[in-house]
Amino acid sequence: MLVTAAAEPTARLRQARVALAVSFFLQGTTFALLVTCIPELQKRYGLSDSLLPVFLAAVPILAGAGSIGSETLVKRTTARGVLRVVQPALCLTLGLTGLGSQLWQLAIALGLFGLLVGALDASMNMLGVGLQHRYGRSIMIGFHAAFSLGGILGAAIAGLGAHWDAGLPTLFGGAAVLLVPAALVAGRRFAGPAELGDAVREAAELAARRIPWKPLLPLCAAMAFAYIADASVSNYSVKYLTDGLHSREDLAKLSYLGYMVAMLLGRTVGDRAVQRFGAVPVVRTGAAVAGAGFLAAALAPGTWAGILGFTVLGLGISSIIPQVFAAGGRLLPHASDAAVARLNLFNYVGFLVGSPLVGALAQASNYRWALCAPMLLILAIIPLAPHFAPAPTTQPDLAETPA
């Protein structure tokens, strides 16, 4: 990523960094609440298992549209201005999702959720890149750790709501009552042009540079495979435990909670592991552990074994995605932001493929067999691991190569 030398950050920049971390935290909470309550949404709206993959696939499609639209809005206003609007709106949409009863109402709510989450993701990361540029060192991992913390909180709240039989109107509505004001307060401290200067514009210009696709393709594939696995857990871990293993709904939420806790723990030690052993062994080991987690979940005889499987999966996958971005930056050092922007597209590709893939296979057979597909794809990252190695120091400037 774009990181340049900079002076000691001012108090205002530090406040902006904390505010953005809160934004990532709130997004993680909101997203976890939605995905861990998919079985409850199905019951409330009468959504069949055959239609579920269609609804889930629509969300990343609209998220991609929202991300593109956000870039246009940012050019006319600022990333801060967009984020100040879309985050409270997303939290409010979560509350509205729990109030309807007709399928068309769910379609509208999830469609709006997808558009807003795409705009939110784009504007948050734009601000993050700008802040990182001003800090002169890497700070993006901390923002994504805040997202993981929010995911842990959201899954825990969903589990408690199921245990107490709170119902979606109370659970989502109560969450919105707390999340919307928190988003509004955090928005007051976001960094703007006075703090960032031309940092966002400079990052956007770098991202627009023409770079070759070919050297990035193995990393693009690894990113897509990793996010197919992530989408499988996000959208189907709870449903697998309730429908496949006949778990209680409150216990089933622990599958995603364990996944997120392991993801956070893995990322706290991931950088040290890469420094000691190198990126290639870390990626190979992570993919193997993630594959073992999928296998353990698919073979699980009961609830707790299934939760353990998804927890192991989170530990294995935790370092893969950050290392994809890092490898892209090393591969094209003079256009690292452009490389990261292209790799991030395969985040949406993975979510778009993952949900329908697992849903369709579950319909054709069962959830145990359906989990085998993302397992095989995550294991396919193992032969791609050499592409995560640091580039030779004599490598030519690929950023100037025609696309």
Side-chain angles (χ1 to χ4, degrees), residues 127-221:
L127 277 183
V129 169
L131 280 172
Q132 180 167 269
H133 179 60
R134 283 295 174 248
Y135 264 73
R137 55 187 171 86
S138 177
I139 60 174
M140 288 294 289
I141 292 177
F143 294 136
H144 288 275
F147 176 88
S148 297
L149 284 172
I152 292 168
L153 177 63
I157 292 173
L160 292 174
H163 180 72
W164 292 331
D165 197 20
L168 290 183
T170 300
L171 181 62
F172 285 1
V177 168
L178 297 175
L179 293 172
V180 171
L184 292 172
V185 170
R188 298 177 61 184
R189 295 294 181 179
F190 290 151
E195 295 79 30
L196 298 180
D198 293 329
V200 173
R201 178 186 59 78
E202 291 167 1
E205 288 177 353
L206 279 175
R209 294 182 66 177
R210 289 168 58 84
I211 62 173
W213 270 104
K214 186 176 180 180
L216 288 175
L217 289 180
L219 298 176
C220 291

Side-chain angles (χ1 to χ4, degrees), residues 32-55:
L33 278 167
L34 182 73
V35 299
T36 54
C37 290
I38 286 175
E40 289 91 336
L41 287 169
Q42 280 192 274
K43 293 177 183 177
R44 182 173 183 85
Y45 289 94
L47 180 63
S48 67
D49 286 343
S50 59
L51 278 179
L52 178 61
V54 178
F55 276 71

Side-chain angles (χ1 to χ4, degrees), residues 24-368:
F24 272 85
F25 177 84
L26 296 177
Q27 188 206 20
T29 304
T30 306
F31 184 76
L33 278 167
L34 182 73
V35 299
T36 54
C37 290
I38 286 175
E40 289 91 336
L41 287 169
Q42 280 192 274
K43 293 177 183 177
R44 182 173 183 85
Y45 289 94
L47 180 63
S48 67
D49 286 343
S50 59
L51 278 179
L52 178 61
V54 178
F55 276 71
L56 295 178
V59 173
I61 292 174
L62 292 170
S67 180
I68 294 171
S70 176
E71 294 179 9
T72 302
L73 291 174
V74 167
K75 290 178 182 178
R76 296 182 178 180
T77 58
T78 62
R80 176 178 64 179
V82 173
L83 185 53
R84 280 176 169 175
V85 173
V86 298
Q87 184 144 53
L90 181 69
C91 298
L92 182 60
T93 300
L94 176 69
L96 296 176
T97 305
L99 297 179
S101 59
Q102 303 296 317
L103 208 54
W104 64 268
Q105 295 172 321
L106 178 62
I108 292 175
L110 289 181
L112 184 59
F113 191 93
L115 287 171
L116 290 172
V117 81
L120 177 65
D121 181 61
S123 55
M124 281 196 314
N125 282 286
M126 287 178 192
L127 277 183
V129 169
L131 280 172
Q132 180 167 269
H133 179 60
R134 283 295 174 248
Y135 264 73
R137 55 187 171 86
S138 177
I139 60 174
M140 288 294 289
I141 292 177
F143 294 136
H144 288 275
F147 176 88
S148 297
L149 284 172
I152 292 168
L153 177 63
I157 292 173
L160 292 174
H163 180 72
W164 292 331
D165 197 20
L168 290 183
T170 300
L171 181 62
F172 285 1
V177 168
L178 297 175
L179 293 172
V180 171
L184 292 172
V185 170
R188 298 177 61 184
R189 295 294 181 179
F190 290 151
E195 295 79 30
L196 298 180
D198 293 329
V200 173
R201 178 186 59 78
E202 291 167 1
E205 288 177 353
L206 279 175
R209 294 182 66 177
R210 289 168 58 84
I211 62 173
W213 270 104
K214 186 176 180 180
L216 288 175
L217 289 180
L219 298 176
C220 291
M223 178 69 86
F225 296 160
Y227 270 105
I228 287 173
D230 185 73
S232 302
V233 179
S234 300
N235 294 322
Y236 286 103
S237 62
V238 175
K239 188 165 178 59
Y240 167 58
L241 262 67
T242 54
D243 293 5
L245 301 181
H246 309 292
S247 306
R248 297 202 325 257
E249 289 185 351
D250 55 346
L251 288 180
K253 312 293 185 190
L254 295 179
S255 61
Y256 189 73
L257 177 62
Y259 175 76
M260 292 302 291
V261 169
M263 181 90 72
L264 179 62
L265 292 176
R267 285 176 175 173
T268 60
V269 300
D271 286 336
R272 293 181 181 178
V274 171
Q275 293 168 9
R276 180 171 182 180
F277 302 108
V280 174
V282 168
V283 169
R284 280 180 175 152
T285 302
V289 171
F294 265 123
L295 182 62
L299 298 177
T303 300
W304 291 106
I307 293 171
L308 177 61
F310 287 117
T311 301
V312 171
L313 170 56
L315 184 63
I317 205 173
S318 61
S319 295
I320 294 176
I321 294 170
Q323 286 308 308
V324 171
F325 286 124
R330 290 193 299 266
L331 186 65
L332 301 174
H334 300 291
S336 58
D337 286 282
V340 168
R342 288 196 177 181
L343 291 169
N344 193 55
L345 292 175
F346 289 81
N347 166 355
Y348 296 111
V349 171
F351 268 97
L352 180 60
V353 173
S355 296
L357 175 66
V358 174
L361 290 174
Q363 280 289 298
S365 54
N366 56 53
Y367 282 108
R368 293 185 186 275

